[in-house]
Amino acid sequence: MKWLPNSIRWRIQLWHGLLLLAVLVVFGATAWRLQYNNEIRLLDGRLHLLLSELHTGLAHGGDAAPRVEPDELALLLGVPDLGPPAQAQAARPADDLPHYHRIWWRDGSVNEDHGSVPPGLTLPPRSGAVEQRTHEGFREVYQFTPPGECLLVGVPESVISTQMHAFTLWVVGLCSVVLVLGVAGGWWMASRAIAPIRDISDAAQRIASGHLKERIPVADTESELGQLASVLNDTFTQLDAAFEQQARFTSDAAHELRTPVAIILAQTQLALAKPRTVEAHVKTIEMARRSAERMQELIESLLTLAKADAGAEATRETVHLDALSRENLDHIRPLAEEKKITLHDDLPPTTCKAHPGHVAQILTNLLGNAVKYCRAGDEVRVSTYRQNGHAILTVADTGPGIPIEHLPHLFDRFYRADASRNRSSGGAGLGLAICKTLVEAHGGRISVESRLRKGTTFQVILPA
């Protein structure tokens, strides 16, 4: 509804107020109707008593008639019991009750009038019992005697109107007080219910302004809003960690690129500073070329990670993991022989559903790391096999191993373990991070086990 305020508190308060008003209207109408029926019943009782006195006086030839008790009246006139003694006392006729009566003879002529008889009052239809009616603003009770006379007693309805007006004012006043108290209580309750939402909004605004360490205070974790606040706090924690990782990643990337750029600038400035021999220029160009190649390798690695982070879908096809492993072993074999490292393989036919280029990059990174950090006389073994609907690749070496405290961070970007895995070896700390990213993009898992002076084993599990 466009006419409702945008505030949730106002909407709750408005609906609460309307509901309370509807309940009070129904209550007031019901109370008024019950009170009106009760007044009519009491008035009819008083009219019945007046009618009984008139009937008794007529039977005594016009003499003053004695009072008739309510229970005697019920037996005499055949009307319902007038109720408990308190109600019967209230039903006794008062001396100041502005009533009137009329008596008709058997032939229908008027015998006697008393009080302010309304003009145009006609003989009611004959009946064998005491009857009551509302006629042109008057409440009347009448009875026909066995010989045929008709006795009628009535009062103006204004008697009830005055009492009902006072009762109406009382009901309206009571309902108004209840409505005011209910609206005030509803506003207080709505404010307490909305307070956690305000805290969530304020905390979110502070976080959006750059205070990433800010969290939403949670007083009751069992309530719906408490659970929402807990979920949002977890989300903010993950966002904070992601921003920190992004900032660290950017800083590390800039640091890695700065070194080869500095080398290229230094060599070119040196070459331009003074005349040099051809051999010196060749050496300068060669150093600049190696620095450029290192920059190219780093940039390609960063692009690979950026594409994976963006969720770019790669075309998947059936990959023969054994053949691809054998091909990568052949590529790295000259380097292994140069370092006197022995390569072994156990490659039964094994297929998986993946992107061939990504699997080749995973193999290149794992084999390159194994050969790079192994010592002369160490061994590297590559194996593939199928298990439980998965294709499994393992690359194990007998190298120096990795300290256990570094294993949890080994797949972090730009992370290096110790002196055996630092920048002097030429790595930027992105190879294993790329492996983890590509493996998980294929719905797989990668893990590592290592023991100092015993070797390291990497295991890659891909969907077959």
Side-chain angles (χ1 to χ4, degrees), residues 138-297:
F138 295 90
R139 184 68 177 177
E140 300 172 340
V141 175
Y142 63 91
Q143 180 190 22
F144 283 86
T145 62
E149 294 88 355
C150 178
L151 293 77
L152 182 145
V153 180
V155 295
E157 281 193 320
S158 59
V159 176
I160 298 179
S161 299
T162 303
Q163 296 175 351
M164 291 308 300
H165 178 70
F167 180 77
T168 300
L169 294 179
W170 181 82
V171 170
V172 171
L174 177 63
C175 291
S176 299
V177 172
V178 173
L179 180 61
V180 171
L181 294 178
V183 169
W187 180 265
W188 178 77
M189 293 180 63
S191 299
R192 285 182 57 86
I194 297 300
I197 299 180
R198 188 186 304 111
D199 294 339
I200 293 174
S201 177
D202 294 342
Q205 289 179 357
R206 290 192 295 270
I207 291 172
S209 64
H211 301 280
L212 299 181
K213 300 296 182 183
E214 185 77 25
R215 294 296 179 268
I216 302 170
V218 182
D220 183 10
T221 58
E222 299 299 327
S223 65
E224 290 81 357
L225 289 177
Q227 295 175 2
L228 173 61
S230 298
V231 172
L232 289 176
N233 281 338
D234 294 340
T235 303
F236 294 149
T237 300
Q238 295 177 9
L239 287 175
D240 185 22
F243 278 116
E244 288 184 352
Q245 182 181 7
Q246 182 182 17
R248 187 169 57 251
F249 177 80
T250 304
S251 175
D252 292 340
H255 184 73
E256 292 294 333
L257 287 171
R258 184 173 57 185
T259 300
V261 170
I263 293 174
I264 293 175
L265 288 175
Q267 291 298 322
T268 53
Q269 289 173 358
L270 181 61
L272 296 173
K274 59 181 179 179
R276 306 181 68 187
T277 63
V278 175
E279 292 78 6
H281 281 297
V282 170
K283 184 178 179 180
T284 299
I285 294 173
E286 179 63 26
M287 292 183 66
R289 183 185 65 82
R290 288 199 299 268
S291 297
E293 287 177 349
R294 182 176 177 184
M295 290 176 57
Q296 182 183 16
E297 179 183 353

Side-chain angles (χ1 to χ4, degrees), residues 320-379:
H320 294 275
L321 195 56
D322 55 309
L324 200 56
S325 300
R326 192 172 291 109
E327 180 181 340
N328 276 268
L329 280 171
D330 293 338
H331 289 165
I332 205 169
R333 195 176 302 277
L335 178 60
E337 291 176 351
E338 180 182 345
K339 296 187 64 175
K340 296 180 174 55
I341 296 172
T342 305
L343 300 181
H344 301 280
D345 64 79
D346 181 14
L347 304 173
T350 305
T351 59
C352 64
K353 204 73 173 179
H355 186 276
H358 290 172
V359 177
Q361 189 169 5
I362 294 170
L363 279 164
T364 299
N365 289 347
L366 295 179
L367 285 173
N369 280 349
V371 172
K372 182 184 300 182
Y373 299 117
C374 277
R375 302 154 300 189
D378 288 337
E379 298 180 355

Side-chain angles (χ1 to χ4, degrees), residues 435-448:
C435 289
K436 182 176 185 292
T437 302
L438 294 179
V439 169
E440 292 181 347
H442 286 80
R445 302 189 306 275
I446 184 171
S447 60
V448 59

Side-chain angles (χ1 to χ4, degrees), residues 343-420:
L343 300 181
H344 301 280
D345 64 79
D346 181 14
L347 304 173
T350 305
T351 59
C352 64
K353 204 73 173 179
H355 186 276
H358 290 172
V359 177
Q361 189 169 5
I362 294 170
L363 279 164
T364 299
N365 289 347
L366 295 179
L367 285 173
N369 280 349
V371 172
K372 182 184 300 182
Y373 299 117
C374 277
R375 302 154 300 189
D378 288 337
E379 298 180 355
V380 176
R381 178 177 296 275
V382 180
S383 60
T384 59
Y385 57 94
R386 292 279 296 269
Q387 186 180 45
N388 298 329
H390 293 86
I392 300 177
L393 164 71
T394 61
V395 178
D397 63 62
T398 59
I402 304 171
I404 190 172
E405 64 269 16
H406 296 293
L407 294 180
H409 309 286
L410 204 59
F411 296 101
D412 293 347
R413 299 174 184 183
F414 294 106
Y415 184 82
R416 297 180 181 87
D418 56 7
S420 66

